[in-house]
Amino acid sequence: MTRRGFLQKLIGVITGLSGLGFLGTVIGYLAPRREKGGRKILLSGDGSPIPAEKLKEVPYLVGLGIDGEPTIVVRYEGEMRAFSAVCTHLGCLVKWLPNKGEFFCPCHAGRFDANGVNIAGPPPSPLRRYRVYVTKDGLLGLEEIPT
Amino acid sequence: MKRWTQSFWDWIEERTGISRVVRGLLTEYYVPANLNVWYTMGSILLVCFVIQIITGILLLVYYVPQTSKAFESVKFITSTVPFGWFIRRMHAMTANLFVFVLFLHMLSTLFMGSYKKPREVQWITGLLLFALVLVEALSGYLLPWSQLSYWATTVATNSVGSIPLIGEKLVVWLRGTPKVSQYTLGRFFAMHVSFIPFTILVVIGIHLLFMRLTGISAPPGTDKSKVPKVPFYPHMVMKDLASIFVFLAVLMLLIFHYPQFAFPHDALIPANPLETPLHIKPEWYFLANYQTLKLVPNEFLGILVQLLAGLFLFFLPFIDRSPERRPLKRPLFTTLATLGVLAYIALAIWGHFS
Amino acid sequence: MMKRILWLALVWVIALPLWSEVKNTCVECHQQAEEEELRVPVEQWKTSIHYKGGISCSDCHGGDPKQEDEDLAMSEETGFVGVPEDTEIPDFCGKCHSAVRDNYMQSAHAEALLADEDGPTCVTCHTAHEQQRASLDLINEDLCGTCHDYDQALRLKEAMRAMEGDLISMEARVEALFSEGLDVESEQRALFAVRNRTHRLTHVLDIDRILLELGSVRADLMKLDSRVTEQENIVRNRKRVGTILIVFFLLAAVLARMYYHSLKEEYLKTHGGGGSEEPPTQSS
């Protein structure tokens, strides 16, 4: 290779590297942030914790759960159950139909049974389930169930 | 890969004959082979503009233009967002270098007499760009809502108040309220991220268009029709690139080793409208103006002097009409210009230490 | 603590101009007094830190400096106390220096004072009217040796001095990080707490207790030290990357320059000099 040919390649590589380096910086800068981890209590939209008492007044609660995931807590057959409220179809939030014991998604009429299993409509998979308990402060604690 | 890009190129070429345009713009655009390093300042300035646009957009991602949140959001960028400190410092340091290289670009034009016929439009649009970049720098200064931001803006907008009759009204109008406030932040923000950059872009377009229409000047003392020519690409581009790399090295030096240059102590504490910091001084590029205002007993006179100086520069191509461009063959102009530059630097240094 | 300092600062700022404008009959009369012992306090006071800080006679002694009449100016209603008893002195100074008073009251000095009314009081070390900015130099053989062995005092002084030096250097390090634009708010707060704890210790004067407390303060300082060191490493690494980038770009500039020259030479050799190749559009 001639000296000039070599120089040309080198300049190309250097310019490319500078560009790539800057691009890397930009990608890092724009990297999505995880919601604050370690928050394992059901919160209302404004960030305040929801007392477990509340579930006695209403048939179900929707709040922000682990990693900010919208979470639905229902009382069914005397026990509390918690699921991700995000429909596995296109991400709308499901509602609880206490009379039928089913979850219902208002967007495309998807339905899930009381165990979160998809039973009708377009949803391709069950709702993600969480373990739920009342903390000693009377709040709703959530725990991931390892799969 | 090669085949795919080639056929894509052919596809465009077949429809548009684009290669003719590219040749005319780059490979068959000939410039004098003896262009000196001062002719590369323009390309550095273009790089500055591009850096400011890119880093500016990135800062916009996290910045909140609200007095109670602005400082926090900037602090979030510099201490929490990955590389946020780097992007912010790059934006601030490039702003400084932008103004500095603009000075160099204008001074070389001045001493090489490149503003003369037929290049008057470049000179005038260039001056306009200089003014626009200064306004851009000033408006950006307020956005972090630090002590420095707040008080520098208070002082800068205040100096407009010495204009007779309308001065007082103009200050309030600039600020949106009698004192610098959320309203000021709002209009400065809109100006900084939208109105001024777009205007700059348009004026750069005119500046470059006229440069291509008149052709670039040859260095003074050389006859453009006789000097050898080289194609713009790759020759001149490589020359530009060398200067751009030097610029980037200086930029890195400032970003990594001298952050205090753009962020002194007062820039690191949030604005407090009830407490003026002890040593409030404008940025280095406003120091000469600042000192002039302090020296001239009447504030309006001070502004008038600067306005006249600006106007004189603006009409320079029409005042100085001799075709001679060699600095040594026009001793009067060169002496005056040198004295002017020295006076400017002296005023700035004086302003810094006063 | 902070609040009290702020209040003092506020009082000081407001009081200073008032005091300098309003005439002060205490100073006027005592300056002209025939008896030397009435004159001297004013002269001494003018050399003190209190004078510089705008603290005047009535701030400590009570009385009303605006009254022309001697009896009215030093009447009982104004809370005037001319010469406090030794046992009253801690409260006398403690009107302003309350934290110091609290510490002093736990000391052996105070114990001695309360036991036989003969222990050292504030003025024993700080003087009654010539107080200077306090420093560790106040602990010296002449002063301490008047009443007791200096050894213990020296140990105390050395312990405090080491701590003071460490605090000052830590302050400089945190400030350096701050000026680099790093978020050091929690470090600044931790430093303030450590410094506060140290300074409160001064007047307890119980060497065992001070050493014990200093030990726990030092543990906090070490915790802070590791956090600051961590941040300093970030700054150092950044600067390293910066230097590499500077060298990289300078090298790139040299290479681009070399490439440009070789291109130009080659081109001018093959296409010849002169302006003959000038495309028709170019003219000037």
Side-chain angles (χ1 to χ4, degrees), chain B residues 196-218:
Chain B
I196 308 273
F198 281 126
T199 315
I200 288 178
L201 188 63
V202 171
V203 183
I204 287 177
I206 301 172
H207 192 70
L208 292 183
L209 176 68
F210 272 78
M211 185 195 77
R212 293 305 292 266
L213 289 177
T214 63
I216 196 137
S217 70

Side-chain angles (χ1 to χ4, degrees), chain A residues 105-121:
Chain A
C105 178
C107 289
H108 300 95
R111 287 190 291 143
F112 303 82
D113 69 12
N115 293 313
V117 178
N118 46 323
I119 48 173

Side-chain angles (χ1 to χ4, degrees), chain B residues 174-186:
Chain B
L174 271 176
R175 291 178 179 167
T177 41
K179 290 272 169 290
V180 173
S181 69
Q182 173 64 48
Y183 293 87
T184 325
L185 185 61

Side-chain angles (χ1 to χ4, degrees), chain B residues 29-30 33 75 79 85 89 119 224-231 234-235 238-239 242 245-246 248-249 252-253 256-257 259-260 265 268, chain C residues 175 178-181 183 185 238-239 242-243 245-246 249-250 252-253 256-257 259-260 263-264 267-268 273-275 278-279 282-284:
Chain B
Y29 164 51
Y30 295 91
K75 198 166 154 187
S79 55
W85 61 275
R89 284 188 193 178
R119 301 188 178 84
K224 194 177 173 188
S225 61
K226 295 209 179 73
V227 295
K229 306 283 192 307
V230 290
H235 297 70
M238 280 307 130
K239 198 179 168 68
F245 279 133
V246 172
L248 289 176
M252 293 304 135
L253 182 72
F256 284 96
H257 292 279
Q260 293 86 352
H265 193 267
L268 302 172
Chain C
E175 179 58 33
F178 177 78
S179 79
E180 277 284 329
D183 182 10
E185 221 178 287
R238 277 183 191 174
K239 289 204 194 289
T243 308
L245 283 173
I246 293 167
F249 283 128
L250 286 178
R257 187 93 194 148
Y259 182 49
Y260 162 71
L263 272 177
K264 189 164 99 170
Y267 185 85
L268 292 181
E278 184 70 4
Q282 295 286 312
S283 64
S284 167

Side-chain angles (χ1 to χ4, degrees), chain A residues 11 14-15 18 22 24-31 33, chain B residues 54 58-59 62 77 81-84 86-87 90 241 245:
Chain A
I11 301 285
I14 285 172
T15 313
S18 316
F22 188 63
T25 312
V26 172
I27 290 173
Y29 182 87
L30 292 173
R33 233 151 292 277
Chain B
I54 294 175
L58 289 174
L59 291 174
Y62 299 109
I77 292 175
V81 179
F83 304 116
F86 178 73
I87 299 292
M90 195 171 199
L241 201 59
F245 279 133

Side-chain angles (χ1 to χ4, degrees), chain B residues 108-349:
Chain B
S108 67
T109 308
L110 212 57
F111 283 102
M112 294 199 292
S114 314
Y115 54 84
K116 297 190 171 189
K117 191 183 171 190
R119 301 188 178 84
E120 297 96 327
V121 177
Q122 285 98 300
W123 173 254
I124 286 167
T125 48
L127 269 184
L128 196 59
L129 282 171
F130 183 67
L132 282 168
V133 169
L134 287 184
V135 176
E136 181 71 354
L138 188 77
S139 56
Y141 220 67
L142 179 65
L143 305 192
W145 207 251
S146 67
Q147 269 294 68
L148 188 64
S149 307
Y150 185 88
W151 291 102
T153 307
T154 298
V155 175
T157 45
N158 230 347
S159 61
V160 178
S162 58
I163 297 172
L165 299 175
I166 55 162
E168 301 282 316
K169 285 229 163 59
L170 204 58
V171 174
V172 180
W173 203 82
L174 271 176
R175 291 178 179 167
T177 41
K179 290 272 169 290
V180 173
S181 69
Q182 173 64 48
Y183 293 87
T184 325
L185 185 61
R187 52 186 69 203
F188 274 45
F189 175 69
M191 201 151 77
H192 185 77
V193 305
S194 150
F195 175 64
I196 308 273
F198 281 126
T199 315
I200 288 178
L201 188 63
V202 171
V203 183
I204 287 177
I206 301 172
H207 192 70
L208 292 183
L209 176 68
F210 272 78
M211 185 195 77
R212 293 305 292 266
L213 289 177
T214 63
I216 196 137
S217 70
T222 56
D223 184 348
K224 194 177 173 188
S225 61
K226 295 209 179 73
V227 295
K229 306 283 192 307
V230 290
F232 179 72
Y233 182 86
H235 297 70
M236 194 58 198
V237 170
M238 280 307 130
K239 198 179 168 68
D240 283 341
L241 201 59
S243 294
I244 290 167
F245 279 133
V246 172
F247 162 79
L248 289 176
V250 176
L251 180 61
M252 293 304 135
L253 182 72
L254 288 175
I255 290 177
F256 284 96
H257 292 279
Y258 299 101
Q260 293 86 352
F261 176 64
F263 306 112
H265 193 267
D266 288 328
L268 302 172
I269 36 184
N272 180 359
L274 297 178
E275 191 198 320
T276 311
L278 279 182
H279 309 286
I280 191 82
K281 284 275 170 65
E283 279 293 273
W284 61 270
Y285 41 83
F286 286 126
L287 277 177
N289 312 62
Y290 161 81
Q291 188 61 22
T292 311
L293 279 185
K294 283 210 317 199
L295 286 182
V296 181
N298 181 321
E299 213 180 324
F300 172 62
L301 215 62
I303 289 190
L304 199 68
V305 166
Q306 295 179 30
L307 202 69
L308 287 178
L311 277 179
F312 174 74
L313 280 179
F314 196 81
F315 289 111
L316 184 61
F318 309 105
I319 298 166
D320 174 24
R321 304 176 71 124
S322 84
E324 178 58 59
R325 288 180 49 213
R326 279 168 291 181
L328 294 180
K329 291 282 159 105
R330 39 192 203 124
L332 179 66
F333 176 85
T334 306
T335 313
L336 282 178
T338 311
L339 286 177
V341 173
L342 287 178
Y344 184 88
I345 294 173
L347 278 171
I349 294 174

